[in-house]
Amino acid sequence: MKYLLMICGDESAAEHANDGCGGWSEEMEQRGVVRGGAGLAPATDATTVRVRDQELLLTDGPFAETKEVVGGFVLIECADLDEAIEIAAKHPAAGYGTIEIRPVLDGPPPDAH
């Protein structure tokens, strides 16, 4: 099963931006679970897109004021949620931020009708 690990943190997480993952990436590559991932520019560099009543609305930065923002992501493939939790718990960011785990839906999206 595929899971997206969203690496989140508050403004204090920025001090860890260049820390690296302390061997986590190498271990997960050896286990063969990593399918992709990247760090992200700060939320202040974001552009938020919304369309309302057929009008394009752009916002510089994040749309909502939040205490935590997504700073990076990793796509993993593993046996089940228990293994995904074990993998996320080993990530250094779990010690100073939050890692949200989301299952990746396979196949076409459900019919909205």
Side-chain angles (χ1 to χ4, degrees):
M1 175 130 201
K2 290 182 184 169
Y3 294 91
L4 181 68
L5 306 182
M6 291 183 284
I7 315 300
C8 305
D10 61 16
E11 62 276 350
S12 67
E15 66 191 55
H16 299 282
N18 296 315
D19 288 358
C21 291
W24 182 90
S25 297
E26 292 79 8
E27 178 185 342
M28 297 308 140
E29 290 287 341
Q30 286 178 336
R31 287 173 61 170
V33 297
V34 175
R35 298 293 178 259
L40 301 174
T44 53
D45 292 346
T47 300
T48 302
V49 176
R50 293 180 292 143
V51 177
R52 299 294 184 269
D53 297 320
Q54 299 180 350
E55 181 182 350
L56 175 63
L57 304 170
L58 299 176
T59 304
D60 290 336
F63 174 67
E65 288 289 325
T66 60
K67 293 185 184 229
E68 286 192 331
V69 296
V70 178
F73 65 94
V74 180
L75 180 64
I76 61 171
E77 188 167 358
C78 54
D80 54 28
L81 179 59
D82 289 337
E83 186 179 9
I85 292 169
E86 179 261 325
I87 289 168
K90 285 186 170 187
H91 194 286
Y96 59 81
T98 303
I99 300 182
E100 183 176 330
I101 303 170
R102 293 237 198 129
V104 175
L105 300 175
D106 287 330
D111 189 10
H113 299 285

